[in-house]
Amino acid sequence: MTTTGEDHAPALTGPWWWARWRSAVLDGSLAFVSAMECAAEGIPFARDAGIPVAAGVVFGVLAGSVLVIRRKWPIAVVLVSIAITPAQMGFLMAIVGLYTLAASELPRRIIASLAGMSLVGTLIVTFVRVRQDMASGDVSLGDWFVPFASISASLGVTAPPLLLGLYVGARRRLMESLRERADSLERELQLLAERAEERAEWARNEERTRIAREMHDVVAHRVSLMVVHAAALQAVARKDPEKAVRNAALVGDMGRQALTELREMLGVLRSGDGLRQREQALAAVGAAAAAAASRAADEDGTGEGPCLSELDELIGQSAAAGMAVDFSVEGESRPYAPEVEQTAYRVVQEALTNVHKHAAGAKTHVRLAHRVSEIAMQVENEPPPEAASSARLPSGGNGLVGMKERVSALGGVFVSGPTDAGGFRVSAVIPAS
């Protein structure tokens, strides 16, 4: 990034009011030349005025030295040059003073007034001087020469430095305006870049959260059932070998399904050749992971994701793991949007997983209600029996959070908490429109 507008401002490295030493040396040199000029012109002025020549020289030096303050007080320089015009002094000071005045930031009316005073003063002095020369016989031209010479001399001394100063001042202001615009644009671009980085970081965090939620919802249920079946297998291995074989087959099937789901998700996360492609694909990782997880959950390999018609199979798996499940449906079943059906399926799936983890052996009631403009689901388990064996399933505390995020993203309401009877209830209502 380039420097900002504050860095473009010249540093005050010169003495007093000069921004740079170079400017101070230039003004000092101009003041010295002007003082020498005025000192030389002070000699004839002293003779004509009848004063000592030394006084005229000193007066010229002091008047010409005023040019050193032209950057600080240009008005004073122009006024001094106008004041000494009758003495026919300060030719260089008048030119440089008018240039500095026109190039300054002073109001135009002040510049025009002082330039007009300088023009009139030069015109009058030149008119008188040329008329005196013609009267003394030094110049033998017609009467037309007096006004012509006066106007030409006054315009020649006043107009060029005034116009040059106006041009330089306008150009300087234009450059400053362009620099300010460039600095403002740079600051805006920097601010936009910072905001874009913040949005990108926020998007990355959102995608990480979505991927973690998808992996939890897809894998946790099957792994939980595997642990439950493994515990049952250990308990009945010697008493009922046939049941042990069936449980072992179920554990194997669920393990293969879980591995398939994990493999597809990891394949999505690893897709892309090179860092640039991975950055471009970051925004679509969450959606792709959800699609991969949904495809893995579908046993036939078709469809866009789990749907409500698969609830019977889901509840059957829990029943096979030893859970007493009561499933009831209210209202007329109808198709919903894919995201609505998938969210409803995940809520029931996660609620059943939590029952396996925290209330093994408890009777569970699953209710599904099809309403006019919404779909409601409730999973409630009774208190677990005291003699029930626990599979000791670990819990990360992310299941309820993930369910609430899913339901809230669709504009629904999610409520969970213990019941008065000592069980636990999970309820969700999702708009169907």
Side-chain angles (χ1 to χ4, degrees):
M1 301 294 288
T2 60
T3 55
T4 58
E6 289 77 9
D7 297 330
H8 289 307
L12 296 177
T13 59
W16 296 331
W17 57 83
W18 286 284
R20 296 182 296 270
W21 275 99
R22 183 177 62 182
S23 301
V25 172
L26 176 61
D27 289 355
S29 302
L30 291 175
F32 176 78
V33 174
S34 177
M36 294 299 99
E37 176 201 354
C38 292
E41 293 170 345
I43 297 175
F45 168 72
R47 292 173 181 173
D48 295 341
I51 60 176
V53 175
V57 173
V58 172
F59 175 75
V61 171
L62 294 177
S65 300
V66 176
L67 196 59
V68 76
I69 63 173
R70 70 182 186 94
R71 296 180 190 267
K72 186 70 173 178
W73 295 291
I75 296 179
V77 175
V78 175
L79 289 176
V80 171
S81 67
I82 294 173
I84 64 176
T85 298
Q88 297 184 0
M89 291 183 183
F91 177 77
L92 177 62
M93 183 167 57
I95 294 177
V96 177
L98 284 174
Y99 165 79
T100 306
L101 179 69
S104 66
E105 301 294 334
L106 292 171
R108 292 297 178 86
R109 61 178 183 276
I110 296 179
I111 298 175
S113 300
L114 293 176
M117 292 172 59
S118 178
L119 176 65
V120 172
T122 306
L123 179 64
I124 293 175
V125 171
T126 305
F127 182 86
V128 173
R129 184 66 178 179
V130 173
R131 191 173 182 83
Q132 289 177 352
D133 292 341
M134 292 186 66
S136 62
D138 295 339
V139 180
S140 57
L141 296 175
D143 294 338
W144 61 270
F145 183 73
V146 176
F148 174 76
S150 303
I151 295 174
S152 300
S154 58
L155 289 177
V157 173
T158 305
L162 182 66
L163 295 177
L164 180 61
L166 291 175
Y167 167 75
V168 172
R171 185 176 180 273
R172 182 185 303 159
R173 287 188 290 272
L174 176 61
M175 295 301 296
E176 291 177 356
S177 175
L178 293 176
R179 185 179 295 114
E180 290 177 358
R181 291 183 181 179
D183 295 337
S184 176
L185 179 60
E186 180 183 353
R187 287 190 292 269
E188 291 179 1
L189 291 176
Q190 186 174 3
L191 181 60
L192 290 176
E194 293 175 356
R195 291 180 177 177
E197 182 63 25
E198 292 177 358
R199 287 194 296 269
E201 182 64 25
W202 176 84
R204 285 192 289 267
N205 293 334
E206 287 294 317
E207 294 306 323
R208 293 190 189 102
T209 303
R210 174 188 282 184
I211 294 170
R213 185 170 60 242
E214 291 293 337
M215 294 184 69
H216 177 274
D217 292 344
V218 170
V219 180
H221 179 72
R222 298 191 186 279
V223 174
S224 299
L225 292 179
M226 288 172 60
V227 175
V228 171
H229 281 291
L233 177 62
Q234 184 179 6
V236 302
R238 296 181 179 179
K239 298 179 182 179
D240 192 349
E242 293 183 0
K243 187 175 182 180
V245 171
R246 291 195 300 270
N247 288 341
L250 287 174
V251 170
D253 292 340
M254 292 179 183
R256 283 188 291 272
Q257 291 175 358
L259 288 176
T260 301
E261 293 163 356
L262 281 175
R263 188 179 297 111
E264 292 195 16
M265 278 193 177
L266 293 176
V268 172
L269 294 176
R270 291 171 179 170
S271 63
D273 298 330
L275 180 60
R276 184 175 181 181
Q277 288 185 349
R278 287 197 296 272
E279 289 294 333
Q280 292 176 349
L282 181 60
V285 167
S294 300
R295 288 194 302 270
D298 193 342
E299 292 185 356
D300 295 332
T302 60
E304 297 181 355
C307 56
L308 295 177
S309 61
E310 301 175 7
L311 284 180
D312 291 331
E313 180 181 356
L314 177 66
I315 295 173
Q317 292 176 354
S318 296
M323 179 186 295
V325 187
D326 179 19
F327 181 44
S328 62
V329 180
E330 299 177 6
E332 184 178 355
S333 178
R334 64 182 186 274
Y336 298 96
E339 59 271 14
V340 173
E341 295 204 11
Q342 182 178 358
T343 301
Y345 180 91
R346 295 301 186 197
V347 169
V348 176
Q349 181 187 55
E350 181 59 29
L352 293 176
T353 302
N354 288 339
V355 175
H356 284 292
K357 289 181 179 180
H358 309 293
K363 185 175 181 179
T364 306
H365 303 275
V366 180
R367 300 179 181 90
L368 185 67
H370 300 277
R371 299 172 183 171
V372 177
S373 58
E374 60 189 16
I375 179 174
M377 64 230 59
Q378 183 183 89
V379 179
E380 179 180 349
N381 63 274
E382 299 177 358
E386 297 180 359
S389 61
S390 174
R392 296 181 182 179
L393 295 175
S395 176
N398 298 319
L400 295 177
V401 176
M403 284 190 284
K404 185 174 182 180
E405 290 177 351
R406 285 180 177 275
V407 175
S408 300
L410 298 179
V413 178
F414 178 84
V415 179
S416 62
T419 62
D420 296 336
F424 199 84
R425 180 187 298 118
V426 173
S427 302
V429 178
I430 305 174
S433 55

